[in-house]
């Protein structure tokens, strides 16, 4: 990504916690590879956001490195895109402070994720949890991002980012680019294996998700136990048959076999066959990623260098915006 490029900026953030799932891969990562042509992409490992709930330091460090390796293993190019850690670019925290001064207690208190998380962590309703969306706004606005790929659960945070940007732009014209959500071309929604009415989430229990790092036998076991229904009919009907439809979605999207052809081919066969085929399709997709991942994890020097180098590239872009903000707001900048 060069400083003179004219491509719009895409910003994506993911927390280095939980397991990166098949849903993350199919719904996001896999598409990112295609977006590298159209956008200057930043893939940020948001380690500062992770601190809003208590973390084990060793695990956090390991997950951070693993996530960087997974991004690269999934096909993203760290020479083209910027794959980096949020805490390596101090401008995120600096801009977040400024934006805090333009964010209101009322609007932050209305955020669904804040209400949910404070209900779940009653013993740790910290100020970071409350201002989480402000740091997220800083992540995005710092790079004048045009688009942000977000799932349904982060829509509200993107909305408040837009509100904050527009609020500052009304006082200081032209300060920020107002970001738009990026709607993926194709949206195969991947659901939980144990509760197929819910989306597969990286913080759910291990048996309800497929991690990109699951071994082939784990994948087979998890699919064999996946919740289906009792009518025994292989048919795509997410409303009435969420479990079976989820398996069909996964199989279709990974094998490239159209839904119509797939359901016709499997009609009259048992769920066992559908589950086995789906597990094998998943294993075939994960195998090259896991091989590349293992190579990368065996070369920590390469990973460390890449992250340091990418952080420097991000700092260059971030500092430009931060300086503009400080100047416009009247902070004396010699
Ligand atoms: N809040 C996002 C999540 O939990 C992660 C995130 C942080 C993010 N900063 C971001 C996503 C900026 C998009 C853009 O999923």
């Amino acid at each position: 990504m060069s400083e003179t490029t004219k491509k719009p900026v895409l910003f994506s953030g993911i927390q280095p916690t939980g397991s990166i799932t098949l849903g993350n891969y199919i719904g996001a990562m896999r598409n990112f590879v295609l977006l590298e042509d159209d956008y200057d992409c930043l893939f940020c490992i948001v380690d500062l956001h992770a601190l809003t709930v208590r973390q084990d330091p060793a695990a956090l460090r390991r997950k951070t490195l693993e996530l960087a390796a997974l991004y690269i293993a999934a096909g993203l190019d760290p020479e083209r895109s910027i794959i980096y850690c949020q805490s390596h670019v101090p401008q995120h925290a600096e801009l977040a402070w400024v934006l805090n001064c333009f964010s209101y207690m009322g609007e932050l208190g209305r955020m669904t994720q804040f209400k949910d998380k404070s209900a779940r962590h009653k013993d740790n309703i910290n100020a970071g949890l409350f201002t989480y969306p402000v740091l997220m706004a800083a992540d995005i606005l710092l790079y004048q991002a045009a688009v942000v790929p977000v799932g349904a659960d982060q829509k509200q945070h993107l909305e408040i980012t837009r509100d904050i940007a527009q609020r500052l732009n009304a006082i200081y014209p032209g300060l920020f680019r107002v970001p738009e959500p990026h709607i993926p071309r194709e949206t195969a929604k991947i659901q939980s294996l144990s509760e197929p009415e819910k989306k597969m989430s990286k913080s759910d229990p291990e048996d309800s998700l497929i991690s990109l790092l699951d071994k082939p036998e784990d994948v087979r076991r998890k699919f064999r136990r996946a919740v289906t229904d009792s009518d025994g009919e292989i048919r795509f009907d997410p409303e009435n048959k969420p479990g079976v439809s989820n398996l069909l979605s996964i199989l279709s999207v990974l094998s490239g076999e159209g839904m119509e052809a797939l359901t016709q081919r499997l009609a009259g066969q048992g769920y066992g066959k559908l589950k086995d085929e789906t597990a094998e399709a998943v294993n075939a997709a994960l195998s090259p990623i896991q091989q590349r991942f293992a190579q990368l994890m065996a070369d920590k020097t390469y990973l460390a260098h890449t992250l340091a180098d990418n952080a420097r590239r991000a700092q260059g872009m971030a500092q430009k915006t931060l300086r503009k903000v400080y100047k416009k707001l009247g902070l004396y900048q010699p």
Side-chain angles (χ1 to χ4, degrees):
M1 183 190 295
S2 82
E3 301 264 310
T4 51
T5 180
K6 289 281 182 317
K7 279 193 227 166
V9 172
L10 176 145
F11 187 94
S12 166
I14 186 157
Q15 291 201 39
T17 55
S19 303
I20 301 301
T21 70
L22 184 67
N24 297 130
Y25 177 68
I26 291 176
M29 277 185 173
R30 211 173 54 123
N31 300 322
F32 292 164
V33 178
L34 305 169
L35 295 173
E36 283 184 318
D37 286 337
D38 301 331
Y39 297 96
D40 280 338
C41 297
L42 292 120
F43 299 106
C44 183
I45 300 169
V46 293
D47 50 0
L48 295 173
H49 276 108
L51 297 182
T52 53
V53 299
R54 292 289 169 258
Q55 302 291 342
D56 170 52
L60 181 57
R61 212 161 11 241
R62 180 174 51 79
K63 291 263 182 191
T64 299
L65 212 58
E66 284 184 0
L67 184 50
L70 265 180
Y71 267 133
I72 301 171
L76 296 175
D77 179 357
E79 309 266 316
R80 238 175 136 190
S81 296
I82 300 184
I83 299 169
Y84 74 108
C85 293
Q86 190 183 31
S87 67
H88 297 180
V89 180
Q91 288 87 354
H92 287 251
E94 292 180 79
L95 183 60
W97 170 256
V98 174
L99 300 185
N100 265 322
C101 300
F102 292 85
S103 304
Y104 297 113
M105 306 289 286
E107 59 185 349
L108 293 174
R110 281 193 295 276
M111 293 290 114
T112 348
Q113 185 171 297
F114 171 70
K115 289 194 276 188
D116 287 353
K117 284 200 182 172
S118 30
R120 273 189 283 129
H121 304 271
K122 279 213 165 46
D123 51 335
N124 184 20
I125 306 179
N126 60 71
L129 207 55
F130 190 65
T131 59
Y132 181 112
V134 183
L135 179 57
M136 179 158 159
D139 297 340
I140 297 165
L141 301 180
L142 201 46
Y143 300 94
Q144 306 288 357
V147 293
V148 181
V150 280
D153 63 322
Q154 296 299 315
K155 275 241 173 75
Q156 201 181 30
H157 288 165
L158 188 61
E159 265 318 303
I160 199 175
T161 300
R162 290 169 53 86
D163 290 344
I164 293 169
Q166 279 159 347
R167 188 174 299 154
L168 276 119
N169 283 351
I171 318 173
Y172 312 101
L175 194 54
F176 293 123
R177 167 129 196 186
V178 181
E180 303 281 341
H182 180 268
I183 316 292
R185 274 175 319 125
E186 159 206 19
T187 30
K189 282 203 295 169
I190 308 304
Q191 306 292 99
S192 157
L193 298 186
S194 55
E195 295 171 83
E197 325 49 49
K198 285 181 21 190
K199 108 173 199 204
M200 184 182 283
S201 164
K202 70 206 268 280
S203 47
D204 280 350
E206 270 295 318
D207 260 10
S208 65
L209 59 83
I210 299 292
S211 156
L212 291 194
L213 298 176
D214 277 347
K215 296 195 187 67
E217 59 267 30
D218 295 330
V219 170
R220 286 185 204 109
R221 178 179 46 82
K222 287 181 181 183
F223 276 111
R224 244 176 262 129
R225 288 191 194 159
V227 168
T228 49
D229 52 52
S230 53
D231 76 12
E233 197 189 332
I234 295 185
R235 172 164 58 85
F236 185 71
D237 178 356
E239 190 83 347
N240 300 305
K241 296 171 67 66
V244 169
S245 302
N246 189 35
L247 299 176
L248 286 168
S249 291
I250 295 170
L251 181 52
S252 166
V253 78
L254 292 181
S255 68
E257 187 173 2
M259 190 56 82
E260 195 117 331
L262 180 61
T263 45
Q264 271 177 26
R265 182 169 66 76
L266 292 178
Q269 313 216 36
Y271 289 166
K273 164 99 169 133
L274 170 62
K275 288 177 167 188
D276 288 345
E277 273 201 32
T278 308
E280 289 327 307
V282 168
N283 282 334
L286 297 192
S287 162
I289 298 174
Q290 294 182 356
Q291 276 174 34
R292 183 91 185 91
F293 175 83
Q295 288 166 353
L296 289 160
M297 290 303 284
D299 191 353
K300 298 273 175 2
T301 316
Y302 167 77
L303 280 179
H305 266 110
T306 302
L307 286 175
D309 186 59
N310 278 277
R312 259 191 304 277
R313 293 161 66 207
Q315 283 168 21
M317 295 171 73
Q319 188 53 32
K320 256 179 146 167
T321 302
L322 188 66
R323 199 173 158 79
K324 176 174 167 192
V325 169
Y326 281 174
K327 269 189 168 162
K328 286 241 194 187
L329 269 66
L331 303 189
Y332 173 62
Q333 302 296 296

